[in-house]
Amino acid sequence: MKAPVRVAVTGAAGQISYSLLFRIAAGQMLGEDQPVILQLLEITPALGALEGVAMELDDCAFPLLAGIVQTDDPNVAFKDADYALLVGARPRGPGMERKDLLEANAAIFSVQGKAINDNASPDIKVLVVGNPANTNALIAQRNAPNINPRQFTAMTRLDHNRAMTQLAQKTGTTINDVKKMTIWGNHSSTQYPDLHHATVNGKTAIDMVDQAWYEGTYIPEVQQRGAAIIKARGASSAASAANAAIAHMRSWALGTAEGDWVSMGVYSDGSYGIAEGLIYSYPCVCKNGDWEIVQGLEVNDFSRDRMAATEQELAEERDAVSHLLP
Ligand code: NAI
């Protein structure tokens, strides 16, 4: 048996974690031969609920679960952590402006970034799920100067998965036939699901659908899927978000399939003309525990406009919290 790795999860008593933690402990994230120690962070008033979750984890008798830490102290939660899933975030309250939301989360993610910097394994892989995920990842990254910025990522895998299923359903195929999906930009309603490089059974997806459906139905449905779930379920997507977090980390740690790629919000190196340093969703290939942005994809004017619009939103979010960035 391998030595256990430490996986920190924030917002551990929340809805997403209620699905996520059990799947991590079952080995679905890092492999069925990799023991884990879960280091669970919550705010003080939620520690009681967290205790209940930890009791249920115990009651599952997971062979791979080598320990559980429960805490309201980020320095404890991130101590020697090899992986961190930052799920907990401040939701938008009544009357809260977008700027207030950004600032409230900046406060949380700057503290957590510092705690990661000071306590975690230098090789830590960080995934931010809590919204606004890309900008929260940027804030954590900026507060962790000793950690390579490439190690901070934001989740657009749920958007990626949604985009794959919508395409499979439209083309009468299954998810197994769909490859090379790309979500560009922000995990928000400006994200751009791109069918110009995606394939269905080896054929270019954009050639299999008409442009009016692509523009008028597909793109908005993928962009608005989160809102549609809330409307239908009366609660936000939790199990599918947890599933996407598992898939994001699994791809990053264990690699992507040959001939395919995934979408990840990653530190922009300027690829495709996107401003350097934004956490922007790109098509990525993962290998040996590292990711690379897929290079050399042709970008037409239609795509360029949409990639720029979502970049613009990310730049505005960054500027709204710039006074809080070190
Ligand atoms: P939830 O409200 O059920 O759980 C969030 C938990 O975080 C709560 O238990 C809360 O006490 C905790 N928390 C708040 N501040 C914290 C802090 N400073 N430190 C530690 N824990 C803290 O929410 P849910 O449904 O689990 O969603 C979590 C986040 O994930 C939300 O921000 C949501 O918008 C986001 N999300 C992101 C998706 C993506 O694709 N990137 C998809 C779905 C949700």
Side-chain angles (χ1 to χ4, degrees):
M1 199 63 122
K2 293 179 178 172
V5 294
R6 295 178 179 274
V7 181
V9 180
T10 75
Q15 292 303 313
I16 292 176
S17 289
Y18 194 62
S19 171
L20 179 64
L21 297 176
F22 296 84
R23 296 187 59 183
I24 298 172
Q28 292 179 7
M29 186 170 90
L30 298 172
E32 271 143 35
D33 59 348
Q34 179 57 67
V36 293
I37 297 169
L38 290 174
Q39 306 194 152
L40 308 179
L41 182 68
E42 258 299 347
I43 51 173
T44 314
L47 286 176
L50 182 61
E51 172 67 21
V53 175
M55 287 161 72
E56 282 203 78
L57 283 163
D58 279 342
D59 294 351
C60 291
F62 288 118
L64 291 171
L65 185 53
I68 304 175
V69 174
Q70 301 169 52
T71 182
D72 58 1
D73 180 352
N75 292 309
V76 173
F78 296 118
K79 184 80 192 141
D80 299 325
D82 302 291
Y83 298 87
L85 294 95
L86 310 187
V87 180
R90 177 77 185 274
R92 191 187 289 243
M96 215 169 165
E97 299 284 329
R98 190 181 143 85
K99 192 168 165 289
D100 304 330
L101 183 74
L102 281 162
E103 289 199 358
N105 279 294
I108 294 173
F109 285 83
S110 52
V111 168
Q112 293 185 0
K114 280 193 199 84
I116 288 170
N117 190 66
D118 297 347
N119 298 281
S121 157
D123 298 321
I124 188 168
K125 289 177 164 58
V126 181
L127 169 63
V128 177
V129 175
N131 280 320
N134 299 53
T135 297
N136 289 342
L138 175 85
I139 292 161
Q141 180 269 312
R142 291 281 196 94
N143 281 280
N146 300 335
I147 302 217
N148 186 329
R150 292 175 51 86
Q151 292 165 223
F152 286 84
T153 65
M155 189 166 97
T156 52
R157 186 63 168 267
L158 180 53
D159 310 298
H160 177 100
N161 287 345
R162 288 166 170 168
M164 285 180 70
T165 301
Q166 296 299 317
L167 177 63
Q169 289 179 352
K170 175 70 176 176
T171 53
T173 60
T174 76
I175 209 74
N176 304 295
D177 304 316
V178 176
K179 307 269 184 273
K180 299 186 177 173
M181 180 56 68
T182 304
I183 303 291
W184 299 99
N186 199 3
H187 168 69
S188 77
S189 58
T190 66
Q191 65 174 273
Y192 171 46
D194 185 355
L195 292 187
H196 294 83
H197 314 291
T199 60
V200 181
N201 285 319
K203 285 185 274 189
T204 305
I206 196 74
D207 298 337
M208 300 171 71
V209 299
D210 65 78
Q211 186 70 18
W213 176 80
Y214 180 45
E215 277 184 57
T217 303
Y218 181 78
I219 293 176
E221 274 187 6
V222 174
Q223 290 172 332
Q224 306 292 340
R225 183 73 168 180
I229 304 267
I230 292 175
K231 191 159 172 255
R233 204 174 89 86
S236 69
S237 33
S240 55
N243 179 66
I246 293 279
H248 176 114
M249 281 304 210
R250 189 179 177 96
S251 294
W252 190 0
L254 304 180
T256 41
E258 194 59 41
D260 203 359
W261 65 59
V262 296
S263 303
M264 298 169 68
V266 296
Y267 185 82
S268 170
D269 61 354
S271 290
Y272 296 97
I274 302 305
E276 224 179 302
L278 289 178
I279 305 286
Y280 188 93
S281 180
Y282 282 102
C284 292
V285 164
C286 304
K287 212 176 172 177
N288 302 324
D290 201 4
W291 55 262
E292 289 295 337
I293 297 170
V294 175
Q295 297 294 338
L297 299 176
E298 232 174 87
V299 174
N300 63 17
D301 289 345
F302 179 88
S303 294
R304 174 59 60 200
D305 287 351
R306 281 156 185 78
M307 287 163 67
T310 190
E311 176 192 15
Q312 176 65 30
E313 184 184 47
L314 281 171
E316 284 168 15
E317 289 184 11
R318 176 200 57 203
D319 294 346
V321 295
S322 60
H323 58 293
L324 300 168
L325 294 174

